[in-house]
C-alpha cells in the first residue's frame, strides 16, 4: 500500500507579521506546520505534495508595504520557496497590483504554476505556467489541474489584466479532466474558487453567476477524485459521492490535508482533514529570510499619520452599519472632495473602525481599511439609484420579532458584509415592512433636500471593486465609469487627517446617518 499526502493552503493574503484578528499567530506558524508535517510523513517513507491555491500577494498590511513602499514583492516568492511548494495556482487578488508586479513575483517562484483558463488574448495560449501536470510519484500517476474563477473581470479594473482572456473554469477543467483521466491513477483539481451550492442538498448558496463552480465541477465532471478549493475563506471538509471536497479558510489558519492510499495503481481510499496551524511554533529560519522587510514594514506600520478626532458612534458594528458612523462618513467625505461627485458610497469592512480615533498609525489605517481600492466616478440615472438602493437593502431583514437584523444569506455560508454600502449626500427613507421592491419610499438629494429625479443623471463616487460590478451590483460596469483616481482610498486618508478643518470634523461627527427607517 502506497501513501501519498497532499498538503495545501489557500488565501494566505500575505499575513506574515500577524493575522488581522490574531496578533499572536501568522503565516510563520503555517510555514512551520507545513515543514513539520512534510518531514513527519517523509520519515515514514510516504510521499508529499505541497500546493498553494493563490491570493498570496495581497491583503495584509505587510503586502501593502511591499507594494506601495518597498515596490518589490520578491520576499513573498522567497517565503513560498522556503516552504517548498510544488505547485502554485493563481488567485483573483493576484491581479490587484497589476501584471508587472504579479509577474515579478511569479517568475521567482520555484513552484510550477498551474493555470488552465487564463490565456493570452493574442495567442489564446496559457499565460501563466501550464494548464495541468501529470506527476509520477512512487509509480503512481497523478494528474493535477489548476484553474481560477473566471469572474475576475467583474471585480478588477481592466488595466490590471490587460491582454488576458478568462475562460470558463468549469468548461476548461471538464475538457482537461476528460483528456487526462485515462492516463492517470488520481485526478486532483486545484481550484481558486468555491462552492455555489450546498454540497449535501444542492440548494444554491448564492446567485449562480459563475464566480464559484465547485459544485458543478463535482456533479458534472466524471473522474475528479479530489477538489481542493479556496476563494470563499470557508472551512470545508466533506465528501461528494466518492470525491473529497475541501477548503481551508484563509490567512493560513488551517491546512488542507488529503492522504491517498493506492494499491496496484488503484486508489483504495482517501482520508481528509483540516489541520490547525496555530498548534505549531513560528518558523524562525523563515523569519530571518524575510528580513529586513519585516522590520522595515513594522517601522512603517507604527508610523504616526496624524490625529483623527472621530467619535465612535456605536461599538456594535451592525448598528454602525445601519445607523451610520463617523469613520464611514470620513471616507465618503474624502471621496466627495477628491471626485466632486454628487454622492458617495463605501462600506464598513470590519470591527477595526472602533480603533480609528485619536493618534492614527499606518497599521491602524490598514486594519480599518485593508483594501487597495481606487475611487471611481460613475454615472447613473435616478431610476438606477432606486434600483441600486433596493438591492443594497437585501443586506437587512426583519426577524420574527420585527427587529432589523442582517439577512442570513449575507452571513452563511460566507460573510458578505462588504456588499452593504453606506451613502453620503443621498438620504434614503426606508420601510422594511413593505415588499422588497417597495421598501425605498424616497431618495433625497441632501444638497437640495429634493427627491431624486428618476430621469436625471447623477454621479457617484465608489470603489473600483464596486464600479466594475463587484458584489453582483450589475448596474455598475466599465461603461458607467467616467474617471478613476490615481491614488487609492487608503493613501488619501492620511492627507485628509492633515487637511480636514475643525468644522469639517464636527460635521463628520454629527451628520453621519443617511437612512431614515420608518
Amino acid at each position: 500500500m502506497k501513501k501519498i499526502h497532499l498538503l495545501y493552503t489557500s488565501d494566505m493574503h500575505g499575513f506574515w507579521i500577524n493575522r488581522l484578528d490574531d496578533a499572536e499567530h501568522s503565516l510563520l506558524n503555517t510555514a512551520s506546520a507545513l515543514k513539520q508535517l512534510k518531514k513527519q510523513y517523509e520519515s515514514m517513507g510516504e510521499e508529499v505534495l505541497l500546493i498553494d491555491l493563490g491570493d498570496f500577494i495581497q491583503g495584509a498590511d505587510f503586502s501593502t508595504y511591499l507594494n506601495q513602499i518597498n515596490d518589490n514583492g520578491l520576499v513573498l516568492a522567497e517565503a513560498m520557496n522556503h516552504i517548498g511548494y510544488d505547485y502554485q495556482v493563481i488567485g483573483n487578488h493576484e491581479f490587484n497590483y497589476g501584471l508587472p508586479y504579479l509577474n515579478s513575483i511569479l517568475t521567482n517562484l520555484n513552484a510550477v504554476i498551474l493555470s488552465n483558463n487564463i490565456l493570452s488574448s493574442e495567442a489564446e495560449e496559457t499565460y501563466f505556467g501550464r494548464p495541468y501536470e501529470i506527476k509520477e510519484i512512487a509509480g503512481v500517476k497523478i494528474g493535477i489541474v489548476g484553474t481560477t474563477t473566471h469572474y475576475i473581470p467583474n471585480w478588477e479594473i481592466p488595466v490590471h489584466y490587460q491582454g488576458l482572456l478568462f475562460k470558463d473554469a468549469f468548461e476548461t477543467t471538464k475538457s482537461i479532466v476528460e483528456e487526462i483521466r485515462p492516463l492517470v491513477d488520481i485526478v486532483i483539481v486545484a481550484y481558486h474558487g468555491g462552492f455555489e451550492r450546498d454540497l449535501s442538498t444542492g440548494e444554491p448558496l448564492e446567485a449562480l453567476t459563475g464566480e464559484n463552480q465547485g459544485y458543478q465541477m463535482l456533479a458534472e465532471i466524471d473522474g475528479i477524485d479530489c477538489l481542493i478549493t479556496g476563494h470563499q475563506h470557508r472551512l470545508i471538509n466533506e465528501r461528494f459521492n466518492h470525491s473529497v471536497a475541501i477548503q481551508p479558510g484563509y490567512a493560513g489558519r488551517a491546512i488542507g490535508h488529503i492522504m491517498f492510499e493506492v494499491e496496484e495503481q488503484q486508489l483504495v481510499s482517501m482520508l481528509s482533514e483540516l489541520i490547525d496551524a496555530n498548534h505549531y511554533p513560528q518558523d524562525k529560519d523563515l523569519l530571518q529570510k524575510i528580513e529586513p522587510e519585516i522590520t522595515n514594514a513594522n517601522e512603517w506600520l507604527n508610523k504616526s499619520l496624524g490625529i483623527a478626532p472621530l467619535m465612535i458612534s456605536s461599538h456594535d458594528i451592525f448598528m454602525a452599519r445601519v445607523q451610520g458612523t463617523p469613520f464611514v462618513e470620513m471616507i465618503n467625505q474624502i471621496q466627495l472632495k477628491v471626485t466632486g461627485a454628487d454622492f458617495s458610497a463605501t462600506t464598513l469592512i470590519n470591527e477595526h473602525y472602533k480603533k480609528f480615533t485619536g493618534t492614527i498609525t499606518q497599521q491602524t489605517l490598514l486594519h480599518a481599511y485593508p483594501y487597495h481600492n481606487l475611487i471611481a466616478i460613475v454615472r447613473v440615472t435616478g431610476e438606477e439609484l432606486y434600483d441600486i438602493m433596493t438591492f443594497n437593502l437585501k443586506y437587512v431583514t426583519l426577524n420574527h420579532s420585527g427587529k432589523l437584523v442582517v439577512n442570513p444569506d449575507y452571513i452563511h455560508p460566507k460573510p458578505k458584509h462588504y456588499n452593504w454600502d453606506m451613502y453620503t449626500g443621498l438620504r434614503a427613507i426606508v420601510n422594511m415592512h413593505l415588499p422588497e421592491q417597495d421598501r425605498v419610499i424616497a431618495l433625497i438629494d441632501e444638497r437640495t433636500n429634493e427627491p431624486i429625479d428618476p430621469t436625471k443623471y447623477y454621479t457617484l463616487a465608489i470603489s473600483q471593486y464596486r464600479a466594475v460590478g463587484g458584489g453582483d451590483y450589475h448596474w455598475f460596469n466599465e461603461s458607467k465609469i467616467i474617471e478613476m483616481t490615481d491614488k487609492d482610498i487608503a493613501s488619501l486618508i492620511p492627507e485628509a487627517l492633515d487637511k480636514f478643518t475643525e468644522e469639517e470634523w464636527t460635521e463628520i461627527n454629527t451628520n453621519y446617518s443617511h437612512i431614515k427607517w420608518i
Side-chain angles (χ1 to χ4, degrees):
M1 182 82 69
K2 297 172 182 176
K3 294 183 179 180
I4 300 169
H5 297 266
L6 168 60
L7 295 169
Y8 93 98
T9 51
S10 187
D11 300 87
M12 296 201 295
H13 287 289
F15 286 100
W16 291 101
I17 293 179
N18 52 47
R19 301 194 181 108
L20 189 59
D21 297 310
D22 181 2
E24 302 302 317
H25 299 93
S26 71
L27 291 174
L28 293 172
N29 300 89
T30 312
S32 176
L34 288 166
K35 287 175 63 180
Q36 290 190 41
L37 289 165
K38 181 178 181 181
K39 183 178 180 180
Q40 173 189 331
Y41 300 141
E42 289 179 339
S43 70
M44 296 185 291
E46 298 165 2
E47 303 289 342
V48 181
L49 279 174
L50 294 183
I51 301 178
D52 180 72
L53 285 196
D55 277 6
F56 74 100
I57 73 169
Q58 181 277 344
D61 44 23
F62 180 58
S63 300
T64 302
Y65 165 78
L66 292 176
N67 175 257
Q68 295 187 5
I69 306 302
N70 198 51
D71 195 30
N72 185 326
L74 296 185
V75 69
L76 297 174
E78 291 176 21
M80 303 297 273
N81 292 340
H82 175 84
I83 292 172
Y85 285 103
D86 299 293
Y87 298 100
Q88 179 69 54
V89 175
I90 305 298
N92 56 293
H93 282 288
E94 257 67 90
F95 297 92
N96 288 172
Y97 297 138
L99 281 176
Y101 186 78
L102 170 58
N103 285 328
S104 71
I105 296 171
L106 295 183
T107 54
N108 283 279
L109 289 179
N110 294 336
V112 174
I113 298 171
L114 298 179
S115 174
N116 73 12
N117 67 320
I118 304 176
L119 311 181
S120 165
S121 56
E122 290 185 0
E124 292 209 11
E125 296 177 346
T126 300
Y127 183 83
F128 299 107
R130 60 193 71 166
Y132 68 91
E133 178 156 290
I134 295 177
K135 185 176 182 67
E136 186 167 338
I137 301 177
V140 178
K141 291 182 178 180
I142 303 174
I144 308 167
V145 184
T147 192
T148 303
T149 174
H150 59 266
Y151 211 61
I152 289 167
N154 291 277
W155 306 306
E156 196 58 68
I157 57 175
V159 69
H160 285 175
Y161 59 86
Q162 190 171 358
L164 299 184
L165 183 65
F166 296 86
K167 291 286 192 178
D168 186 288
F170 168 79
E171 296 294 344
T172 54
T173 299
K174 184 174 188 291
S175 176
I176 291 173
V177 171
E178 289 175 348
E179 175 188 342
I180 68 172
R181 179 71 263 189
L183 308 177
V184 299
D185 306 309
I186 299 171
V187 170
I188 299 167
V189 173
Y191 174 40
H192 189 91
F195 298 99
E196 74 281 25
R197 295 178 183 270
D198 185 281
L199 287 168
S200 299
T201 67
E203 290 297 312
L205 298 172
E206 60 190 28
L208 302 179
T209 61
E211 174 184 351
N212 298 297
Q213 298 174 295
Y215 183 94
Q216 186 183 14
M217 289 180 183
L218 289 173
E220 299 181 26
I221 302 176
D222 291 332
I224 297 176
D225 295 305
C226 177
L227 177 63
I228 61 175
T229 67
H231 182 57
Q232 292 173 309
H233 297 187
R234 297 170 61 191
L235 293 170
I236 298 171
N237 178 26
E238 297 187 30
R239 290 299 180 100
F240 187 94
N241 295 331
H242 301 293
S243 304
V244 166
I246 191 167
Q247 190 173 136
Y250 87 112
R253 295 174 188 268
I255 295 167
H257 172 223
I258 303 95
M259 182 179 71
F260 303 94
E261 293 187 318
V262 182
E263 191 165 15
E264 296 181 356
Q265 273 42 66
Q266 294 293 317
L267 179 59
V268 176
S269 69
M270 293 181 289
L271 301 175
S272 59
E273 63 177 334
L274 295 173
I275 298 172
D276 188 345
N278 285 358
H279 292 160
Y280 293 79
Q282 293 195 342
D283 187 332
K284 301 300 183 183
D285 292 336
L286 177 52
L287 178 59
Q288 293 303 311
K289 283 198 171 187
I290 56 179
E291 288 287 9
E293 284 85 354
I294 290 288
T295 296
N296 293 342
N298 276 320
E299 290 177 358
W300 178 71
L301 289 169
N302 289 323
K303 178 182 176 183
S304 174
L305 301 176
I307 303 294
L310 282 181
M311 178 183 74
I312 308 303
S313 59
S314 175
H315 287 268
D316 182 326
I317 192 168
F318 176 70
M319 298 309 295
R321 284 178 171 136
V322 298
Q323 293 180 348
T325 189
F327 174 72
V328 168
E329 184 68 17
M330 177 192 70
I331 295 175
N332 275 330
Q333 290 295 342
I334 292 170
Q335 294 187 167
L336 289 173
K337 277 178 172 286
V338 170
T339 64
D342 297 322
F343 315 120
S344 176
T346 190
T347 187
L348 184 57
I349 298 168
N350 57 41
E351 300 272 358
H352 288 274
Y353 74 97
K354 290 178 276 192
K355 297 179 181 178
F356 201 94
T357 186
T359 300
I360 304 301
T361 65
Q362 191 72 53
Q363 187 170 64
T364 311
L365 166 60
L366 291 176
H367 280 184
Y369 198 96
Y371 300 128
H372 180 80
N373 270 321
L374 302 178
I375 307 170
I377 309 170
V378 297
R379 187 170 181 256
V380 293
T381 65
E383 182 178 6
E384 287 173 321
L385 279 175
Y386 272 91
D387 290 342
I388 290 164
M389 186 63 74
T390 299
F391 179 77
N392 192 38
L393 285 165
K394 288 186 176 183
Y395 174 74
V396 291
T397 189
L398 298 178
N399 66 12
H400 64 279
S401 303
K403 182 181 178 182
L404 192 68
V405 295
V406 178
N407 184 336
D409 291 342
Y410 285 73
I411 301 174
H412 306 291
K414 174 188 175 180
K416 294 183 287 187
H417 303 291
Y418 51 81
N419 281 346
W420 169 248
D421 283 339
M422 300 165 67
Y423 286 77
T424 289
L426 185 69
R427 185 167 75 254
I429 301 173
V430 177
N431 187 341
M432 290 297 294
H433 296 279
L434 295 178
E436 186 175 285
Q437 293 303 313
D438 301 323
R439 289 173 179 169
V440 182
I441 304 300
L443 292 178
I444 307 297
D445 185 334
E446 293 182 327
R447 299 167 300 179
T448 63
N449 211 31
E450 294 292 326
I452 294 298
D453 184 344
T455 65
K456 185 179 175 181
Y457 281 95
Y458 299 88
T459 54
L460 183 61
I462 53 179
S463 71
Q464 67 179 59
Y465 169 79
R466 189 70 79 231
V468 292
D472 298 324
Y473 280 79
H474 65 80
W475 300 269
F476 302 128
N477 55 59
E478 188 181 353
S479 69
K480 298 285 184 72
I481 299 174
I482 300 172
E483 189 179 348
M484 197 88 72
T485 60
D486 294 327
K487 290 186 176 182
D488 70 294
I489 296 168
S491 297
L492 290 166
I493 291 175
E495 296 179 15
L497 296 180
D498 182 54
K499 293 179 180 179
F500 274 143
T501 65
E502 184 177 345
E503 291 76 15
E504 287 172 321
W505 284 117
T506 299
E507 181 71 13
I508 288 169
N509 279 323
T510 305
N511 297 316
Y512 54 81
S513 186
H514 303 277
I515 297 181
K516 183 179 180 181
W517 305 93
I518 62 174

